Amino acid sequence: MSEVRFHGRGGQGVVTTSKILANAFVRTGQFGASFPMFGFERRGAPVTAFGRFSDRPVKEKTQIYNPNILVVLDPSQKHSSAVFDGLLPGGMLLLNDKKNSGDIRHENLRKLAVVDANGIALEEIGLPIPNTVVVGAFAKMSGLLDIEPVLEALADFFSGKKLDANKVCAKRGFEEVATVDL
Amino acid sequence: MNATATSSNIKVITGNAAAAIAAKLARPEVVAAYPITPQTEVIEQISSFHASGDMDCELITVEGENSAMNAVMAASLAGARVFTASSSWGLVFMYDAVLATAGARAPVVMVNVNRETPGIIAVSSGQQDMISTRDAGWIFLIAENCQEILDLVLQAYRLAEDYDIQLPVMVHYDGFFLSYLSEGVDIPEQETVDQFLSVLESQPRRTVLRPGEKLGVGTHGILGGYMELRHKHVTAMERSKAKFDAIDQEFADIFGRSYGGQLEEYRTEDADMVLLGSGSMCGTIKSVIDEQRDKGNRIGLVKIRMYRPFPHQALVKALKGKKAIGVVDRSLAFGFDGGPIYTELKAFETRLGGAKLVSFIDGIANTDITKTNVEKMIRMTQDLADGKDVPEVTWVSYPEANKDRGGK
């Protein structure tokens, strides 16, 4: 089972990122559970969400304290100790940032993937909402999903032109994410 | 790994959406409700189904919960199938009507999204709202996950409207932990649900209010027959136990999912010690049991699915002969050395074949019942089984409470 913690800010679609991925996993016959950290959500405030993805039913109903994958949608949190709290050895980090700044280190971090999700989202949907780029990048970085179920999952969240544009976002996230081993 | 997409009707939805979809599938004729965190999404979804024409019901957007319950009670007494939903303070605000609905034997079905109720205004999960209304005269059912929310709401209609029962049913599920959790839920076809509920149509028609006809409903203390009506209420409650087991079995035949009726027993068969829990915590407990079973630790879980009437016969059957039982409560009972469910089970201790009992209080006000906490409860219950000294009650996430009880 993959235990994933998502960090971002209200308005970036942090919770939706986790929901889209759970949806995509279920489409492949696997299992997914997604939920927000409990508290009040406000635009601009730090937001945390959780995702459990597995080939077996997910029974746990608790928050995630020891993630093996981190997804950071807000670049300003990339050095936050709260982000890395409890990361398991061999951990992965997917970061939304313009480029790999080369200064992200953690003793348990083994794989770092960077995608300019804000930039791609601005080009494709005209808004700096990075989440649909991030779900595509997640599929590529984790190796747990093909892009197709991710694209199919988006149809449960968008329709019409918005769906088409967000599908392009996810595809570009999948293709343009740059992964390095640490 | 990358399997192809399946063709089943599994959708990733929240617990609240599962409740709303179940209500839609049951085809209620009247829905009246008022929003409250963490239930609001249930009402939003139903409003959306109603607006799009997917739900053909009278939707009454009342000015408060008290009116919501009065509206569905009256509609139910006039013969309608009804639905409402609330939580915490909303349940408190409709409390007199909750009592009246039970006294009138109106087969109302509602969901209550469990949330704390103490005056320190906790917008957080806990079962105190359920415990504080436990003897209102309603049947109380409790769900563990999003699928079970959907399934229990459907089962609730069969139970409430059964000619031999005719009692209101409240389906409880943990706020936050389930209301906002998105996971895969198998959404049944409308025709299958219609088939499951059609049994009710073949039963005798219950007495309903009709314009122009005189009929008294509800209990009225100044009239004769009060004791008789109260006793009938008690016996109908008692009948609902076996009825619920039978409905669960029938549900399994039609939908392919069985939960065990009043209780779900998880890996208890050869278990020396078990935890007794309810609601979303049971999923986490199961995951810890799975891990510990792999190491040869013979432990199990008994999950309470029907809480009112208290399923003591089924509990005695499931728990008799175990060495030790740890009861996990998500609420308080004042004046007792332990949580409410623990205290209630204590009344049947002499029938448990010498099993020792211990009480755990956890999960209050969104306190997460973590795997670490569950491991601690299992360790202490194991110590009790091994004859070691264990405090009768432990606040698992608040060690300060345990200092004067000999705990650590």
Side-chain angles (χ1 to χ4, degrees):
Chain A
M1 181 166 64
S2 297
E3 294 199 301
V4 186
R5 200 167 60 208
F6 301 82
H7 298 269
R9 289 191 184 271
Q12 288 190 304
V14 181
V15 179
T16 306
T17 308
S18 174
K19 280 188 183 182
I20 294 169
L21 288 172
N23 191 310
F25 274 92
V26 168
R27 282 168 186 276
T28 66
Q30 299 182 76
F31 300 87
S34 152
F35 56 105
M37 180 177 263
F38 312 129
F40 298 99
E41 285 179 31
R42 304 174 307 280
R43 191 161 285 261
V47 170
T48 304
F50 307 98
R52 289 191 173 90
F53 311 119
S54 178
D55 55 2
R56 292 197 290 180
V58 176
K59 294 173 185 167
E60 288 86 344
K61 300 284 181 285
T62 80
Q63 304 193 30
I64 292 170
Y65 301 91
N66 295 109
N68 57 345
I69 302 178
L70 298 168
V71 176
V72 177
L73 289 89
D74 167 23
S76 77
Q77 293 179 49
K78 65 185 177 186
H79 295 301
S80 161
S81 60
V83 165
F84 291 94
D85 196 26
L87 179 66
L88 290 174
M92 296 183 218
L93 166 63
L94 170 60
L95 173 66
N96 166 29
D97 207 352
K98 281 195 180 347
K99 59 181 176 55
N100 184 351
S101 52
D103 57 353
I104 294 167
R105 293 277 180 275
H106 185 271
E107 54 184 0
N108 289 343
L109 191 63
R110 286 293 166 271
K111 193 189 261 191
L112 171 66
V114 180
V115 65
D116 182 14
N118 277 14
I120 295 172
L122 273 171
E123 286 173 21
E124 302 300 336
I125 57 175
L127 294 165
I129 300 176
N131 60 352
T132 53
V133 180
V134 167
V135 292
F138 181 93
K140 181 69 169 289
M141 173 198 75
S142 67
L144 297 169
L145 283 170
D146 288 333
I147 189 64
E148 283 77 17
V150 175
L151 300 178
E152 287 167 17
L154 290 173
D156 279 354
F157 297 83
F158 304 97
S159 58
K161 282 182 183 169
K162 277 189 179 174
L163 174 60
D164 295 338
N166 280 288
K167 278 184 171 178
V168 174
C169 284
K171 274 185 206 160
R172 286 190 59 185
F174 189 85
E175 287 158 7
E176 295 177 30
V177 64
T179 304
V180 289
D181 291 322
L182 299 175
Chain B
M1 186 170 56
N2 295 320
T4 53
T6 54
S7 62
S8 72
N9 200 25
I10 295 174
K11 298 277 182 206
V12 176
I13 56 172
T14 61
N16 281 338
I21 290 169
K24 174 166 78 80
L25 287 167
R27 300 186 194 264
E29 289 151 295
V30 176
V31 176
Y34 190 80
I36 180 171
T37 300
Q39 156 268 33
T40 304
E41 189 191 0
V42 180
I43 308 309
E44 287 173 348
Q45 293 255 345
I46 286 177
S47 299
S48 163
F49 296 148
H50 184 259
S52 65
D54 288 340
M55 206 166 164
D56 179 23
C57 66
E58 188 74 31
L59 176 63
I60 311 174
T61 51
V62 288
E63 87 296 347
E65 289 86 353
N66 193 273
S67 297
M69 184 52 68
N70 276 298
V72 293
M73 171 176 60
S76 175
L77 290 172
R81 175 169 292 168
V82 300
F83 181 78
T84 189
S86 196
S87 174
S88 183
W89 294 99
L91 184 63
V92 173
F93 188 47
M94 61 169 62
Y95 187 51
D96 65 321
V98 165
L99 295 168
T101 300
R105 302 284 299 272
V108 170
V109 170
M110 74 174 282
V111 297
N112 182 63
V113 190
N114 296 120
R115 185 186 131 184
E116 286 288 349
T117 47
I120 34 184
I121 313 287
V123 187
S124 52
S125 195
Q127 286 181 330
Q128 199 69 49
D129 56 358
M130 177 185 82
I131 291 300
S132 301
T133 49
R134 59 184 154 176
D135 286 315
W138 286 54
I139 292 170
F140 278 9
L141 309 176
I142 312 173
E144 173 193 327
N145 53 44
C146 297
Q147 182 73 60
E148 195 172 12
I149 292 169
L150 187 146
D151 294 347
L152 263 186
V153 170
L154 298 179
Q155 293 184 6
Y157 279 101
R158 277 289 304 272
L159 193 55
E161 295 180 10
D162 191 284
Y163 189 74
D164 291 333
I165 306 297
Q166 297 189 50
L167 284 168
V169 178
M170 206 179 292
V171 174
H172 295 269
Y173 57 92
D174 288 320
F176 306 90
F177 289 89
L178 292 184
S179 60
Y180 303 146
L181 170 75
S182 293
E183 60 181 358
V185 174
D186 194 345
I187 298 169
E189 296 295 327
Q190 182 66 60
E191 297 72 41
T192 320
V193 175
D194 291 346
Q195 181 203 340
F196 176 65
L197 296 177
S198 67
V199 173
L200 295 165
E201 286 154 33
S202 62
Q203 294 184 347
R205 290 279 292 165
R206 65 186 167 95
T207 308
V208 297
L209 296 171
R210 289 178 204 285
E213 289 179 22
K214 286 178 186 166
L215 179 71
V217 293
T219 50
H220 205 303
I222 59 172
L223 303 175
Y226 189 94
M227 291 288 264
E228 181 193 351
L229 290 169
R230 286 302 274 165
H231 186 256
K232 280 184 168 165
H233 197 136
V234 168
T235 51
M237 274 284 202
E238 211 46 42
R239 279 198 299 276
S240 73
K241 294 176 175 176
K243 182 69 75 175
F244 185 47
D245 288 346
I247 289 169
D248 182 72
Q249 193 52 56
E250 201 186 315
F251 187 91
D253 294 342
I254 294 177
F255 296 92
R257 288 184 295 278
S258 172
Y259 295 92
Q262 301 167 63
L263 305 175
E264 179 186 340
E265 294 183 54
Y266 187 76
R267 307 187 82 165
T268 53
E269 218 161 84
D270 62 340
D272 298 327
M273 54 145 293
V274 297
L275 291 181
L276 176 66
S278 64
S280 64
M281 70 168 84
C282 292
T284 308
I285 293 173
K286 285 175 182 174
S287 70
V288 175
I289 288 173
D290 290 347
E291 289 169 10
Q292 300 217 350
R293 280 266 172 184
D294 290 343
K295 296 174 197 159
N297 200 356
R298 291 195 305 192
I299 53 175
L301 166 75
V302 174
K303 179 178 98 179
I304 291 184
R305 301 184 70 241
M306 174 180 253
Y307 175 56
R308 276 294 182 273
F310 192 66
H312 69 86
Q313 299 93 336
L315 281 167
V316 166
K317 198 168 162 227
L319 298 171
K320 192 173 183 176
K322 303 297 178 200
K323 284 186 182 162
I325 302 153
V327 185
V328 194
D329 273 291
R330 205 163 197 149
S331 59
L332 305 177
F334 295 102
F336 291 91
D337 290 328
I341 297 174
Y342 168 78
T343 303
E344 293 181 353
L345 182 64
K346 264 298 227 198
F348 305 94
E349 191 174 17
T350 56
R351 303 184 199 173
L352 294 176
K356 296 176 189 168
L357 304 181
V358 64
S359 171
F360 299 109
I361 309 278
D362 206 10
I364 288 176
N366 266 1
T367 310
D368 201 359
I369 302 181
T370 62
K371 290 172 89 166
T372 309
N373 289 11
V374 173
E375 285 159 8
K376 183 178 177 182
M377 296 182 220
I378 288 172
R379 218 162 39 239
M380 291 180 72
T381 310
Q382 187 66 58
D383 283 350
L384 187 70
D386 295 343
K388 293 182 193 160
D389 228 11
V390 174
E392 185 180 0
V393 53
T394 299
W395 288 52
V396 183
S397 297
Y398 187 62
E400 288 83 348
N402 309 322
K403 282 175 185 163
D404 57 349
R405 299 175 196 272
K408 301 163 208 114

